[in-house]
Amino acid sequence: MISRRAALGMAATGFSSLLASPRPAAALDYPTRPVRFIVGYPPGGATDIMARLIGQRLSERLGQQFVVENKPGAGNNIGTETVVKAEPDGYTVLLVNPANYINTSLYTNLRFNFVRDITPVASFNRVPNVMTVNNDVPAKNVAEFIAYVKANPGKVNMASSGNGTSVHLSGEMFMAMTDAKMQHVPYRGAAPAITDLLAGQVQVIFDNMPSIIQHIRAGSLRALGVTTAERSPQLPDVQAIAETVPGYEASALFGMGAPKDSPREAIEELNKEINAILAEPGMRQRLVELGGEPLIQSPDAFGDMIKAETDKWKKVVEFAGLKIE
């Protein structure tokens, strides 16, 4: 039989242990200090703007600053590796973007495995690329363009913003699925590629919507198709390429990731807050202006999408025979 004094001692010991045990990063106490939001691109582009929009709203809702740090270079790998090596405490996060899925198979000597080393937090949106031709190309739709390429072997030049970019690989996927062979002409970024497209030096580009849409709306270039599975509200009269090429889908999936083993409570809190932000009418409108509808889902669902994107782009990289040492 336990004495009253012993029972009181046991209770006191248990209460003290409870107070001494570390508290998880629960919704009520996360974050307690600023969070680093790593972006693998220079400031000012559409991707950077997206990160800053969401980071600002997270700062306002959670009462701690989400500080965007731009770490461009090595095809996005410098920024990604910064997060992979960070303390997994919920205070360093990554802007997840198409380069992460592509680089997994494109680079042969990465010092990390993206799917293994980054924990999915939340998706943001999917942004289509736009299959766009100059006005000298006679094709008015995707089917006519395929016929035009096959009737003019070796004469159609496909511009891109660089080897291994989503702009490049969207075109490689199109060639793989249609057997319409084009000559790839890589540029150092979208701006010089669009300049040569306008001048007729190249005939087609599968460019990111934010950088090409002004030329389409002005009538100086002609959109034939968007790379998402369905049409874009930004270009509702432009068909999805998949309407002509079943199964084609090459959009840019964006979101947030964190180092593996980051606290689950922090991941869930960030996911909840980001989903609430994406549901705000003003944020939805801004993301649509940047090219894509918000994607509201769980961390696990985003993780499934990351794996699917990685597998998809691996096949395209292998088809194109691309490797970067």
Side-chain angles (χ1 to χ4, degrees):
M1 185 173 182
I2 301 174
S3 69
R4 183 171 179 270
R5 177 177 294 180
L8 288 172
M10 290 172 63
T13 300
F15 185 63
S16 298
S17 298
L18 180 62
L19 290 176
S21 62
R23 294 181 64 196
L28 293 178
D29 61 12
Y30 172 85
T32 59
R33 53 188 169 87
V35 178
R36 302 169 69 204
F37 191 178
I38 306 299
V39 177
Y41 292 97
T47 302
D48 178 67
I49 291 170
M50 182 191 309
R52 291 178 186 277
L53 284 170
I54 292 175
Q56 178 63 32
R57 287 297 292 126
L58 284 170
S59 299
E60 292 165 354
R61 290 178 63 94
L62 291 172
Q64 292 289 342
Q65 288 296 308
F66 280 69
V67 182
V68 172
E69 293 185 21
N70 298 92
K71 290 187 174 293
N76 217 252
N77 293 324
I78 291 175
T80 303
E81 189 169 354
T82 298
V83 177
V84 168
K85 291 182 175 180
E87 186 72 23
D89 55 8
Y91 289 90
T92 304
V93 295
L94 174 71
L95 178 74
V96 176
N97 68 90
N100 295 127
Y101 323 128
I102 293 169
N103 290 353
T104 297
S105 51
L106 180 63
Y107 284 79
T108 58
N109 294 311
L110 287 179
R111 290 177 290 190
F112 57 86
N113 180 302
F114 180 74
V115 173
R116 181 195 65 205
D117 295 333
I118 293 292
T119 297
V121 174
S123 54
F124 294 167
N125 63 350
R126 272 193 184 277
V127 178
N129 290 346
V130 187
M131 180 183 179
T132 307
V133 297
N134 65 50
N135 289 328
D136 293 333
V137 175
K140 298 299 190 293
N141 56 51
V142 174
E144 289 182 5
F145 182 80
I146 294 169
Y148 175 74
V149 173
K150 291 182 176 180
N152 294 274
K155 296 182 180 180
V156 178
N157 294 317
M158 179 189 77
S160 83
S161 53
N163 280 310
T165 61
S166 68
V167 177
H168 172 203
L169 293 185
S170 294
E172 292 286 354
M173 180 182 290
F174 182 82
M175 289 193 281
M177 296 180 71
T178 63
D179 199 33
K181 304 300 183 184
M182 298 176 280
Q183 180 67 38
H184 175 225
V185 183
Y187 289 80
R188 288 183 175 273
I194 292 172
T195 297
D196 275 6
L197 184 66
L198 289 163
Q201 301 301 312
V202 291
Q203 286 70 51
V204 64
I205 192 170
F206 291 72
D207 196 25
N208 304 135
M209 181 179 285
S211 60
I212 198 77
I213 194 168
Q214 59 180 324
H215 299 287
I216 295 168
R217 287 174 171 165
S220 50
L221 295 172
R222 183 166 65 254
L224 299 185
V226 296
T227 62
T228 38
E230 298 179 352
R231 298 190 181 199
S232 167
Q234 290 290 82
L235 295 169
D237 296 328
V238 177
Q239 71 175 114
I241 294 173
E243 294 174 36
T244 301
V245 185
Y248 182 93
E249 202 285 329
S251 59
L253 174 66
F254 294 92
M256 179 184 285
K260 73 173 181 179
D261 300 326
S262 293
R264 187 66 187 180
E265 294 83 0
I267 300 298
E268 290 174 350
E269 176 70 357
L270 286 171
N271 179 268
K272 176 176 71 72
E273 291 296 326
I274 290 169
N275 285 343
I277 290 166
L278 296 178
E280 296 172 353
M283 182 61 71
R284 180 190 178 281
Q285 179 180 346
R286 192 70 182 93
L287 289 177
V288 168
E289 289 171 356
L290 289 170
E293 293 273 351
L295 279 174
I296 297 174
Q297 56 187 352
S298 68
D300 290 341
F302 182 39
D304 290 341
M305 295 181 79
I306 287 174
K307 292 174 184 174
E309 290 292 299
T310 302
D311 291 343
K312 176 179 73 179
W313 291 117
K314 181 176 185 290
K315 295 174 183 175
V316 179
V317 168
E318 290 175 347
F319 168 81
L322 300 173
K323 285 294 176 186
I324 297 177
E325 297 294 333

